[in-house]
């Protein structure tokens, strides 16, 4: 299986299918149920926002969806692949091929140029240098930073850094872009900028899952799920545009 | 992940933390430099000693008077007795009794003051026979050695070493000159070619006279028949032990002794001196190398320490790399290769410094340092190995970090 081909052939099958998802943490003798049975289906091209106060379980949900953690019980099918019981190596591969992360803290490596940062997922996918550079350059151009490819993160504004991170998320053509509070560290101008970028991606057909606690950010999405005490409150709310 | 990319990311990590990388390498640099130096010094000293001993001749037997072994294994009277005589030397020279000996020379020595005009010089005068030059492997620079006639007539002739001639006359071409010892006049008939030094004693500061002259005019020991040492040159170095056994049997017989345990003389072989010296220097080299290896061990622990700090410091980077699809093995290999590159660089710098010191130090220390290519290659390999061994634990820790915890790290 290569990372270069988008695996989404069947647009009617869900990209994400969570059934009875439960996650329990053990800290010494104390048990904490972070997710208490979540069912959720996200289809290709959807723009979903997951909202909830801190401690609601939305970070845990984000980790599960991002294959950074595994469920205690229940199942998680990502792009037709059951990732519920994968080992670490298989999870790493699933993250690499299926998921494009955008983090609140950008998480760019300061020792690499913008281009080098965008190339990074392709490095782990084993893509040859020439092809890697070309694809990374295309992704950077797509987020409007084609002219900043040689700059290091420290030479870019916060908004630009987050755009580099978005380019990095797109470069593998993942099944979903998973954005965790992507505007949490940005001023209002950059926030508009980055949210506009996500709108564009959605318009071009990308599947986006946005985790946030800000209602106005969530309002950009087509569907909003509310998490409280590890459960969805009500069904997903469709937002009329 | 492609191997080139793995190397590249390790190399970038090292370059982007120059100070930390330099500090990590320091221990290895010091360790490897000291290994190179100590091994070189050990080899050099061994070479010096071998050359000194080889200069004496490796086919030489040295018979010394006196040998009694007490219950504690200590030898008494070694070299100071009067049990060896000129008659012994003559008997040893017999081709019938000791067929494997090529030449024999007895020596009797005294410390005397040589005078020439206003200058005087104290040196060791050796009384011996005409075969001395052959036995001691010496050649004449000027003139000739004394002959059998001189020996028969107790002639007042003397052969000087170059250093002695230089000190006394101010030049080495002194054949035909006269010098005085205790107001008696001696004619210089020859000057010996230079032979260097053996340990602390110069082989060029000496005077040689016929044994008869020594006994008649110079010796004040009171035992005219006794000699200090008898040198036996074997026909070849292969025949050394045969010659040694023949000489021992003859001397026991001459001295009326039944068993070798009662021997009142000692026969030494130059080879055994060489072996003894070599074993001493080998032990010294092992000791010094052990100390240097300890320095390397400390260097390795330093690598581990700083790599562990580096893993902690780069927790977020590790988390990010894992989130982007790095498998645990990718992370482990990156840190392992980082540690190995640090070992390699440290080793190479250490070798360079070691070789530099090996070139710079000998004139100051007055010692020989031999740099062996093998030792250098082994040093670098060991340095890389130390990087790998001490990098394993930090690398495994990095690989085990859970991506969510790592990403959350502030």
């Amino acid at each position: 299986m290569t990372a270069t081909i988008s695996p989404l052939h069947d647009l009617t099958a869900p990209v994400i299918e969570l059934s009875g998802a439960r996650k329990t943490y053990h800290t010494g003798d104390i048990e904490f149920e972070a997710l208490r049975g979540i069912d959720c289906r996200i289809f290709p091209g959807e723009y979903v926002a997951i909202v909830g106060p801190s401690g609601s379980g939305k970070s845990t949900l984000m980790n599960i969806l991002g294959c950074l953690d595994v469920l205690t019980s229940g199942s998680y099918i990502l792009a037709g692949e059951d990732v519920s019981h994968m080992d670490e190596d298989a999870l790493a591969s699933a993250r690499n091929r299926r998921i494009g992360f955008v983090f609140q803290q950008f998480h760019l490596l300061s020792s690499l140029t913008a281009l080098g940062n965008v190339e990074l997922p392709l490095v782990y996918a084993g893509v040859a240098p020439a092809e890697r550079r070309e694809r990374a350059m295309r992704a950077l151009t797509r987020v409007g930073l084609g002219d900043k490819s040689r700059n290091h993160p420290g030479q870019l504004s916060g908004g630009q850094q987050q755009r580099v991170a978005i380019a990095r998320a797109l470069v593998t053509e993942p099944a979903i872009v998973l954005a965790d509070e992507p505007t949490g560290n940005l001023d209002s101008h950059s926030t508009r900028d980055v949210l506009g970028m996500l709108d564009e991606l959605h318009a071009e057909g990308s599947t986006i899952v946005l985790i946030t606690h800000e209602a106005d950010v969530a309002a950009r999405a087509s569907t909003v799920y509310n998490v409280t005490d590890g459960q969805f409150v009500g069904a997903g709310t469709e937002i009329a545009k | 992940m492609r191997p080139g990319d793995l190397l590249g990311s390790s190399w970038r990590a090292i370059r982007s933390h120059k100070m930390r990388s330099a500090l990590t390498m320091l221990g290895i640099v010091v360790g490897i430099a000291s290994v190179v130096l100590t091994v070189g010094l050990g080899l050099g000293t061994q070479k010096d000693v071998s050359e000194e001993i080889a200069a004496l001749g490796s086919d030489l037997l040295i018979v010394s008077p006196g040998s009694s072994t007490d219950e504690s294994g200590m030898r008494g009277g070694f070299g100071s007795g009067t049990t060896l005589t000129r008659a012994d030397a003559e008997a040893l020279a017999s081709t019938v009794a000791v067929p494997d000996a090529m030449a024999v020379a007895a020596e009797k020595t005294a410390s005397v003051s040589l005078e020439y005009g206003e200058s005087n010089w104290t040196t060791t005068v050796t009384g011996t026979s005409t075969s001395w030059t052959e036995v001691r492997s010496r050649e004449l620079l000027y003139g000739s050695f004394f002959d059998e006639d001189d020996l028969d007539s107790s002639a007042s002739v003397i052969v000087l070493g170059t250093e002695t001639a230089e000190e006394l006359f101010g030049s080495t071409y002194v054949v035909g000159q006269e010098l005085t010892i205790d107001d008696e006049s001696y004619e210089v008939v020859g000057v010996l070619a230079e032979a260097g030094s053996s340990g602390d004693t110069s082989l060029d500061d000496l005077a040689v006279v016929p044994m008869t002259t020594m006994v008649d005019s110079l010796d004040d020991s009171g035992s005219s028949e006794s000699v200090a040492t008898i040198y036996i040159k074997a026909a070849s170095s292969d025949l050394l032990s045969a010659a040694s056994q023949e000489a021992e049997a003859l001397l026991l017989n001459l001295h009326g002794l039944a068993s070798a345990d009662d021997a009142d003389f000692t026969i030494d072989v130059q080879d055994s001196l060489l072996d003894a010296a070599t074993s001493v220097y080998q032990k010294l080299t092992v000791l010094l190398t052990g100390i240097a290896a300890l320095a390397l061990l400390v260097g390795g622990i330093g690598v581990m320490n700083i790599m562990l700090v580096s893993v902690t410091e780069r927790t977020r980077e590790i988390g990010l790399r894992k989130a982007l699809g790095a498998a645990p093995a990718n992370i482990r290999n990156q840190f392992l290769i980082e540690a190995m590159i640090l070992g390699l660089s440290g080793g190479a710098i250490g070798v360079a410094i070691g070789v530099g010191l090996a070139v710079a130090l000998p004139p100051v220390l007055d010692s020989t340092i031999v740099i062996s290519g093998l030792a250098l290659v082994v040093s670098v390999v060991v340095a890389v190995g130390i990087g790998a061994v001490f990098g394993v634990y930090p690398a495994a820790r990095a690989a085990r970090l859970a991506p969510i915890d790592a990403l959350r790290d502030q």
Side-chain angles (χ1 to χ4, degrees):
Chain A
M1 202 171 311
T2 70
T4 56
I5 299 164
S6 175
L8 303 175
H9 307 296
D10 184 1
L11 292 179
T12 57
V15 187
I16 286 172
E17 192 170 6
L18 276 179
S19 323
R22 289 181 174 274
K23 181 69 184 177
T24 311
Y25 290 113
H26 297 268
T27 316
D29 291 338
I30 301 159
E31 249 184 41
F32 173 70
E33 276 205 297
L35 297 181
R36 313 172 181 219
I38 286 186
D39 298 295
C40 158
R41 298 170 130 209
I42 298 172
F43 288 89
E46 267 196 280
Y47 187 170
V48 173
I50 294 171
V51 295
S54 51
S56 62
K58 83 182 180 305
S59 291
T60 305
L61 184 57
M62 135 93 191
N63 291 335
I64 296 291
L65 290 177
C67 296
L68 293 167
D69 207 347
V70 288
L71 290 170
T72 310
S73 68
S75 79
Y76 174 23
I77 315 260
L78 172 63
E81 205 175 357
D82 190 347
V83 296
S84 329
H85 305 290
M86 278 185 170
D87 65 12
E88 262 210 78
D89 286 343
L91 279 177
S93 167
R95 287 195 292 270
N96 184 255
R97 288 176 290 120
R98 309 288 192 206
I99 295 163
F101 286 100
V102 180
F103 299 100
Q104 181 176 359
Q105 285 95 2
F106 321 141
H107 282 313
L108 299 176
L109 296 185
S110 56
S111 61
L112 297 176
T113 61
L115 190 69
N117 271 287
V118 177
E119 274 186 49
L120 209 50
L122 299 179
V123 167
Y124 289 113
V127 177
E131 185 191 341
R132 207 159 71 199
R133 211 155 300 133
E134 192 209 311
R135 286 171 62 180
M137 200 61 222
R138 230 185 302 148
L140 266 182
T141 310
R142 189 167 168 196
V143 299
L145 289 176
D147 55 334
K148 303 277 187 199
S149 65
R150 302 175 77 90
N151 288 50
H152 283 259
Q155 300 164 313
L156 300 172
S157 72
Q160 285 172 328
Q161 288 188 50
Q162 195 59 305
R163 276 161 173 260
V164 172
I166 291 171
R168 183 179 62 193
L170 294 176
V171 77
T172 54
E173 298 173 30
I176 55 166
V177 171
L178 195 55
D180 182 15
E181 303 275 10
T183 58
N185 271 9
L186 296 175
D187 59 25
S188 58
H189 174 76
S190 297
T191 296
R192 272 197 304 281
D193 190 38
V194 164
L195 290 178
M197 191 76 243
L198 291 177
D199 285 346
E200 258 178 60
L201 295 179
H202 177 226
E204 289 166 17
S206 294
T207 313
I208 298 169
V209 176
L210 177 76
I211 285 113
T212 184
H213 66 275
E214 289 172 74
D216 53 336
V217 172
R220 301 286 195 125
S222 49
T223 310
V224 177
Y225 289 99
N226 250 299
V227 192
T228 307
D229 292 335
Q231 283 172 313
F232 280 162
V233 180
T237 314
E238 300 273 345
I239 295 184
K241 295 272 164 168
Chain B
M1 197 176 182
R2 304 159 73 91
D5 293 326
L6 192 58
L7 264 180
S9 59
S10 299
W11 178 239
R12 257 193 307 280
I14 288 170
R15 276 195 34 196
S16 60
H17 300 94
K18 290 194 181 69
M19 186 65 182
R20 188 171 67 198
S21 304
L23 283 175
T24 313
M25 280 190 288
L26 193 62
I28 295 206
V29 169
V30 172
I32 290 290
S34 42
V35 166
V36 168
L37 264 188
T38 49
V39 170
L41 204 60
L43 288 175
T45 313
Q46 206 173 317
K47 181 169 162 260
D48 282 352
V49 171
S50 308
E51 277 174 2
E52 277 169 20
I53 290 175
L56 294 175
S58 63
D59 47 5
L60 206 58
L61 292 172
I62 305 161
V63 189
S64 316
S67 167
S68 54
T69 310
D70 66 18
E71 54 273 36
S72 67
M74 291 291 288
R75 288 193 148 181
F78 177 78
S80 61
T82 56
T83 53
L84 281 184
T85 62
R86 285 196 276 157
D88 288 340
E90 273 164 38
L92 286 168
S94 145
T95 52
V96 179
V98 191
D100 293 316
M102 191 166 77
V104 175
E107 280 187 6
K108 202 171 170 69
T109 55
S111 183
V112 297
S113 179
L114 313 179
E115 285 167 36
Y116 171 71
E118 291 298 298
S119 65
N120 67 80
W121 181 249
T122 300
T123 188
T124 306
V125 174
T126 302
T128 187
S129 58
T130 53
S131 55
W132 187 83
T133 47
E134 185 183 2
V135 172
R136 301 298 304 266
S137 308
R138 296 298 292 262
E139 282 173 9
L140 272 289
L141 182 63
Y142 301 120
S144 58
F145 207 64
F146 55 80
D147 56 21
E148 290 295 334
D149 292 344
D150 295 327
L151 206 55
D152 291 344
S153 63
S154 312
S156 293
V157 292
I158 192 161
V159 176
L160 299 179
T162 48
E163 207 176 312
T164 318
E166 192 70 46
E167 292 290 349
L168 195 61
F169 295 98
S171 92
T172 53
Y173 188 75
V174 294
V175 174
Q177 299 275 7
E178 301 260 327
L179 60 80
T180 51
I181 303 172
D182 292 339
D183 297 329
E184 281 207 48
S185 184
Y186 289 78
E187 184 193 355
V188 180
V189 293
V191 176
L192 292 164
E194 276 182 46
S197 61
S198 166
D200 291 334
T201 36
S202 167
L203 294 172
D204 295 314
D205 180 17
L206 80 171
V208 188
V209 297
M211 180 63 96
T212 46
T213 313
M214 181 75 179
V215 171
D216 294 350
S217 315
L218 298 170
D219 183 41
D220 52 4
S221 68
S223 56
S224 62
E225 284 305 309
S226 73
V227 295
T229 317
I230 300 172
Y231 288 94
I232 303 172
K233 190 184 178 78
S236 80
S237 46
D238 298 340
L239 296 171
L240 202 60
S241 61
S244 173
Q245 282 164 15
E246 291 155 12
E248 185 179 28
L250 178 67
L251 287 174
L252 286 173
N253 192 8
L254 285 174
H255 295 192
L257 301 166
S259 130
D261 294 339
D262 305 326
D264 53 2
F265 57 89
T266 310
I267 301 177
D268 274 312
V269 182
Q270 288 288 13
D271 271 357
S272 66
L273 288 180
L274 183 62
D275 287 348
T278 304
S279 96
V280 166
Y281 284 109
Q282 268 167 356
K283 277 178 194 144
L284 195 67
T285 303
V286 167
L287 181 75
L288 288 174
T289 310
I291 292 169
L294 219 59
L296 264 183
L297 182 73
V298 174
I301 293 170
V303 169
M304 184 159 73
N305 248 324
I306 299 188
M307 289 296 294
L308 281 174
V309 171
S310 167
V311 169
T312 309
E313 236 176 56
R314 285 153 65 190
T315 300
R316 271 174 52 160
E317 177 193 327
I318 295 163
L320 172 76
R321 286 179 183 274
K322 285 194 152 190
L324 297 183
N330 293 142
I331 300 294
R332 190 195 61 220
N333 291 346
Q334 182 185 332
F335 278 87
L336 208 52
I337 286 175
E338 259 182 68
M340 285 167 76
I341 292 179
L342 289 173
L344 177 70
S345 317
I349 295 172
V351 161
I353 291 177
V355 171
L357 287 177
V359 173
L361 282 183
V364 184
L365 292 180
D366 192 27
S367 59
T368 313
I369 299 181
V370 174
I371 295 298
S372 95
L374 181 69
L376 299 189
V377 172
V378 169
S379 297
V380 174
V381 171
V382 165
V384 175
I386 282 176
V389 167
F390 288 95
V392 164
Y393 177 58
R397 257 178 72 151
R400 268 205 311 272
L401 279 177
I404 33 170
D405 298 335
L407 276 174
R408 216 174 279 144
D409 186 73
Q410 294 301 315

